[in-house]
Amino acid sequence: MKHKTYKNFIKKIIPILYSLCVFIVLSIAIYNYSNYTKGQWEKDERSNLMDLLASKKSNLEKALYSRIYYTRGVAAYVSLNPSISNNEFSELAKEYIKQDSVISTMALSKNCILNAIYPYEGHESAMGLNLLAHPERKEIVEKTIKTELTFIAGPVELIEGGTAFISYTPIFDKLNNNSFWGITDIVIKEENLIKEANINLEENGFKFALRGTDGTGKNGPVFWGDASIFENDPISIDVNLPIGNWVLAATPVNGWNSYLDQDKTILYILFISTFIISILIWFISKTLLKIKQNERKMVAIFKSIDSLIVEFNKDGDYLTVNYSNKDLLYKPQKDLIGKNVSTIFEPELAKSFKNAITKCLKSKELVILEYPLVINNNKMWFSARVTYKTADTVILNAYDITDNKSKEEELKTLNKIKDQFFSIIAHDLKNPAGTQKSLINLLVDRFDTMDINKQKTMLKTIQKSSDHLYILLEDLLNWSMSQSKKIIAKKIKFNIITHNKELFSQLENQANLKEITFINTIDPENANVIGDPDLTSIIIRNLVSNALKFTERNKKVEISSEIINYNQKQYFQLNITDTGIGISSEKIEDLFKIEKTQSNPGTENEKGSGLGLLLCKEFIEKQGGKITIESQIGVGSKFSILLPTE
């Protein structure tokens, strides 16, 4: 009796122990999984925040260096014109900072004593200020002179209110053994600069701050935003200055812990689910949890602005040439001074320069000029600002915009492809859709009076039009997805014959309907390739359907294979050979150009989209393969595709 009672107890306790074991195992798994996902999630969030900071840093550096460029331009000009007058400086400064809401003032300090400032009104008291007499400014100015680099000081409080940075750039007299001449500086409004860089105190659940007054970086005080950000494990990035740096940092508004706690609800649900699973374990074999994460990276590239400053007289003669990068010079400096633009450039470009000079001298206003030059066998584009100096001279400040022009050309190409794509849609969708509409309307209107044979004939026509429309839409969808980079080729090992048995059967039936002999001699033992099975099926369908389309009845289409060596690698070559009408050599060159794409009717007026071959080329190249064509009018065509075997 006791033995029986013990056995019953064991029978009851074992399922409980088993369920308890399952509950413990799953609970441990969920706990570890939760910690893993938290770590991965935090890693992703930090990576995304770093991408955002990189973008903000790029904007801030761009906004800052575009202003530093002004002082460098002034410094370069004064270094070649050390006797510059206050009026000349005012005109020069006016052109630089006109309508610039970020810059407050621009000043010139010969021998470190402020002798010119623009705008003068409201800043008269600053005249005569000795930069070396102020302890803080003295240290900055001496560092600027020693390094011969621009120094960004501040932020400092402005008398008129607000805070600003001061950019100091040293000037050296190039006409007097490069001796020290003085300092030029601009006052950059802090809030306006940060606003232009699109940096906010809070954005997308994050808050931002800057530290590093006077370019002292992580060791400097916080001068913008919440200082506590730097105490809460922030993501930070250096904002590079000519001397030193600032640190831009960000954290979640409510801290990282509040972010990581957002998964608690899911965690509770998982534990409850685990409890239920442990009770119903004999009904559930396993539970699959799969998490797929995508990470994106963006690299912000900032390039300093290289410029070329030239002084021209009214006739277009080079008076002075100053440059920060000799690679921007069309000819060496010694070959330009004293020469006229007419002897340097082609007549059309020389005329553009002279027209810009004449217009600037006449209007005394800024003139913008864009022009191309071939320098060191490279075509480069420049944007030049022509500014008034005297009644007989102008200053031309040119900088490289080649990258922007390249992007414009690329955009034009993409727009051209887009226009051609829409042209195909408009042309090829209209006919089958219009045919269907007309026949359906006619069938509806005359159904009762129309004999059954005519009804069948019209329905077959509608069916044929629908088939054409379906193929067209499928090709258009695949082409659109390919162009928008939504199709990503897999690289797996598969067998061409095994994977495409059903497709080959369909193609054989398609051939039989047209009374064409379909021959498949692919060796199954040597048909293993590395690529994307689905994309390869689309390629085979398009090429074989194309061969059947342009082959007359009672002829043949053959699909064969061979293993070849190409570029020191082994490839599987699939050949689709037909005995159709063939293609002229002139048309072969245009088959893979979308601007030349057109839908040609088959031997029995079969329709297509005109995109099939374009899709084949796109999809085969995505897999690391290649497509080739051999054809002869009246003899037939051979389309071959190469796919890697390793």
Side-chain angles (χ1 to χ4, degrees), residues 378-631:
N378 294 320
K379 185 177 181 180
M380 301 177 66
W381 276 89
F382 293 86
S383 177
R385 298 165 64 90
V386 183
T387 57
Y388 180 86
K389 181 186 176 186
T390 69
D392 295 320
T393 59
V394 297
I395 300 295
L396 179 141
N397 194 337
Y399 56 94
D400 183 6
I401 58 168
T402 305
D403 288 344
N404 291 338
K405 280 292 182 180
S406 298
K407 291 177 181 177
E408 287 180 13
E409 292 300 322
E410 183 180 352
L411 185 59
K412 288 179 181 177
T413 301
L414 292 175
N415 283 333
K416 187 175 181 181
I417 292 175
K418 178 199 69 176
D419 292 341
Q420 181 67 22
F421 183 71
F422 284 135
S423 175
I424 292 171
I425 293 175
H427 179 270
D428 288 350
L429 284 181
K430 181 178 179 181
N431 289 338
T435 299
Q436 286 188 35
K437 182 177 183 301
S438 298
L439 290 176
I440 290 172
N441 288 340
L442 184 61
L443 194 60
V444 170
D445 292 340
R446 302 182 183 180
F447 186 83
D448 294 332
T449 60
M450 192 179 295
D451 64 78
I452 189 68
N453 292 328
K454 193 166 185 179
Q455 290 175 359
K456 287 182 178 180
T457 301
M458 293 181 69
L459 286 173
K460 286 181 180 179
T461 304
I462 293 173
Q463 182 186 39
K464 187 176 181 180
S465 179
S466 297
D467 291 341
H468 174 216
L469 191 60
Y470 177 80
I471 293 172
L472 176 62
L473 289 173
E474 187 175 34
D475 283 349
L476 289 174
L477 178 60
N478 286 330
W479 171 253
S480 176
M481 292 178 67
S482 173
Q483 295 305 300
S484 61
K485 312 300 181 185
K486 291 183 179 179
I487 293 180
I488 301 175
K490 296 177 289 188
K491 298 290 180 68
I492 64 173
K493 186 174 182 179
F494 70 97
N495 187 282
I496 291 286
I497 289 293
T498 303
H499 183 77
N500 294 287
K501 278 185 177 180
E502 184 177 346
L503 174 62
F504 287 136
S505 177
Q506 293 173 358
L507 293 172
E508 186 173 5
N509 290 336
Q510 186 179 340
N512 290 337
L513 289 175
K514 199 175 178 181
E515 298 178 357
I516 292 174
T517 302
F518 183 75
I519 304 171
N520 185 348
T521 62
I522 299 175
D523 181 5
E525 299 297 325
N526 293 302
N528 292 320
V529 298
I530 303 296
D532 188 306
D534 296 331
L535 295 186
T536 303
S537 296
I538 293 174
I539 294 168
I540 294 173
R541 176 182 67 80
N542 268 287
L543 292 179
V544 175
S545 295
N546 210 48
L548 295 172
K549 175 181 175 181
F550 293 104
T551 300
E552 295 92 344
R553 289 179 180 270
N554 301 318
K555 291 194 175 183
K556 69 177 182 177
V557 170
E558 180 178 356
I559 180 167
S560 60
S561 66
E562 56 186 308
I563 302 299
I564 68 168
N565 289 317
Y566 177 72
N567 286 344
Q568 299 181 342
K569 291 184 180 180
Q570 183 174 283
Y571 284 85
F572 173 85
Q573 179 170 305
L574 183 69
N575 305 311
I576 293 92
T577 308
D578 65 61
T579 55
I581 61 177
I583 311 168
S584 67
S585 57
E586 295 81 7
K587 288 187 177 181
I588 289 178
E589 296 179 359
D590 297 333
L591 286 178
F592 300 118
K593 298 177 182 177
I594 190 169
E595 65 271 16
K596 301 289 187 178
T597 297
Q598 60 180 4
S599 175
N600 296 316
T603 58
E604 296 187 0
N605 205 33
E606 300 100 323
K607 303 294 184 181
S609 67
L611 292 174
L613 290 179
L614 288 175
L615 284 172
C616 291
K617 185 175 185 294
E618 288 273 345
F619 291 169
I620 194 66
E621 290 179 353
K622 282 181 180 289
Q623 299 178 75
K626 182 182 179 183
I627 184 169
T628 60
I629 305 172
E630 299 175 16
S631 186

Side-chain angles (χ1 to χ4, degrees), residues 277-289:
I277 291 171
S278 66
I279 296 174
L280 305 175
I281 191 64
W282 51 90
F283 289 118
I284 303 172
S285 60
K286 55 183 175 179
T287 302
L288 296 176
L289 297 172

